[in-house]
Amino acid sequence: MLHIDRLILQLPHYPHWWRQEWTTCIDALSLHIAPGEVHAVVGASGAGKSLLAAAIMGLLPSAARLEGALHFQATPLTPARQRQLRGRQLALIPQSLSALDPLARSRQQVRWAAQRAGLGRPAAQQRADELLAHYQLSHAATHYPHELSGGMARRVLIAMAQVSNAQLVIADEPSVGLDPTQRDRVLAKLKAIAREGKAVMLITHDLRHALPVADRVTVMYQGRGIETATAQAFRGQGEQLTSPYARSLWQALPDNAFSTQPSVLCQEPAFA
Ligand SMILES: Nc1ncnc2c1ncn2[C@@H]1O[C@H](COP(=O)(O)OP(=O)(O)OP(=O)(O)O)[C@@H](O)[C@H]1O
Ligand code: NI
């Protein structure tokens, strides 16, 4: 469905006002996402995850330099094709809440997304109302973005992406600011979308939230794809992981703290 081959992304920066330099934000990254798959992209803050999403959607800053190949459904993702597919076959749940139109009510934002995806106005309105109810936002349907909490705004963005019925959904930190029930609901929805034969890229800094729903995980570090492994490889001491970085990410999870501290196990046999 989505093939990324040795993608390199550079952005300009200015150490002094007269001197421009290029920072490599994505460095020869390759990954592919198959239909039916939830593919998690996990890495620390600044690893380049959101820029990867922007590169796929065609939403990079205009000064960006991009090399390598991006294919969606075996056809190159040119800027014109990205424009044509965005909000239709390609949907993004953006990390930034500022993606919402500050002058539109929640109901309108979701309806517009439905109309962009091809629904007529009455059907779009009905679908928007159903999704707002699903995400417990009916009471906020007439609210503007500044009247929404962070978690509510996030759920409006999720409803907007869901309404498009896209073949590839990129969810960039979709559960930040949500309570555990809402988070589980969103992650379950992403899994359900994949089960319909669509592809989901789940971007998160938190491996813990990704593993229960992901089929495969790509670990990013400073713009590079360090390792792609199945979710099942994250078990035990991480013996099945090939990179020390992916292993240490796994071992650093709170539930694994005991397994990385043998002395604790010795003192507390009840935990063994
Ligand atoms: N528009 C931009 N111009 C210049 N540099 C940028 C721009 N956007 C991001 N960067 C830089 O690129 C790097 C990767 O940023 P990115 O937002 O992709 O990280 P991330 O992995 O999504 O992090 P987070 O988990 O905090 O969202 C960072 O060092 C960031 O400072
Ligand atoms: Ni990000």
Side-chain angles (χ1 to χ4, degrees):
M1 171 96 63
L2 178 75
H3 284 259
I4 301 173
D5 198 19
R6 294 193 64 78
L7 192 76
I8 299 173
L9 166 64
Q10 294 181 307
L11 288 174
H13 78 109
Y14 296 86
H16 305 285
W17 63 267
W18 69 89
R19 201 166 98 219
Q20 187 194 52
E21 291 181 356
W22 291 90
T23 307
T24 302
C25 300
I26 297 179
D27 194 358
L29 179 106
S30 299
L31 66 83
H32 76 270
I33 308 187
E37 181 183 26
V38 176
H39 194 119
V41 174
V42 177
S45 182
K49 308 182 296 294
S50 295
L51 286 175
L52 175 64
I56 298 164
M57 297 297 294
L59 296 172
L60 287 170
S62 56
R65 274 201 320 216
L66 202 59
E67 283 174 42
L70 276 175
H71 285 83
F72 175 67
Q73 293 174 332
T75 310
L77 265 180
T78 58
R81 189 152 177 259
Q82 284 167 320
R83 252 195 318 278
Q84 181 202 340
L85 298 180
R86 211 160 43 221
R88 299 180 182 94
Q89 294 302 304
L90 296 177
L92 173 67
I93 302 170
Q95 180 175 15
S96 170
L97 301 177
S98 61
L100 288 173
D101 182 336
L103 302 176
R105 301 171 193 271
S106 307
R107 201 164 179 241
Q108 223 174 352
Q109 317 237 19
V110 184
R111 173 166 61 80
W112 284 342
Q115 286 179 272
R116 197 175 312 128
L119 291 188
R121 190 181 159 127
Q125 191 62 73
Q126 190 185 340
R127 191 79 188 104
D129 288 341
E130 283 167 12
L131 278 172
L132 288 171
H134 177 76
Y135 288 110
Q136 294 162 349
L137 287 167
S138 298
H139 65 289
T142 55
H143 289 193
Y144 290 97
H146 74 272
E147 297 169 316
L148 302 172
S149 72
M152 289 159 82
R154 174 92 44 217
R155 281 178 280 148
V156 173
L157 288 170
I158 292 166
M160 288 168 69
Q162 194 177 324
V163 85
S164 66
N165 212 14
Q167 288 301 309
L168 172 67
V169 176
I170 302 176
D172 193 354
E173 303 281 5
S175 58
V176 168
L178 301 186
D179 62 44
T181 312
Q182 294 285 0
R183 186 184 62 221
D184 290 350
R185 176 175 285 224
V186 168
L187 293 176
K189 186 69 223 177
L190 292 174
K191 190 73 184 167
I193 289 172
R195 282 214 190 93
E196 290 169 14
K198 295 165 181 166
V200 175
M201 178 185 276
L202 170 60
I203 295 176
T204 174
H205 60 273
D206 199 336
L207 183 60
R208 208 171 15 158
H209 296 153
L211 286 177
V213 289
D215 298 294
R216 290 191 299 155
V217 178
T218 290
V219 175
M220 274 186 84
Y221 178 71
Q222 292 186 351
R224 282 176 295 129
I226 297 290
E227 176 166 1
T228 296
T230 62
Q232 289 81 22
F234 292 83
R235 59 195 289 186
Q237 299 283 333
E239 300 85 352
Q240 293 178 40
L241 299 168
T242 52
S243 69
Y245 183 70
R247 207 173 299 133
S248 65
L249 263 189
W250 164 243
Q251 291 178 346
L253 294 189
D255 289 349
N256 298 338
F258 290 121
S259 61
T260 57
Q261 296 172 32
S263 59
V264 173
L265 287 178
C266 295
Q267 286 157 20
E268 299 282 346
F271 288 104

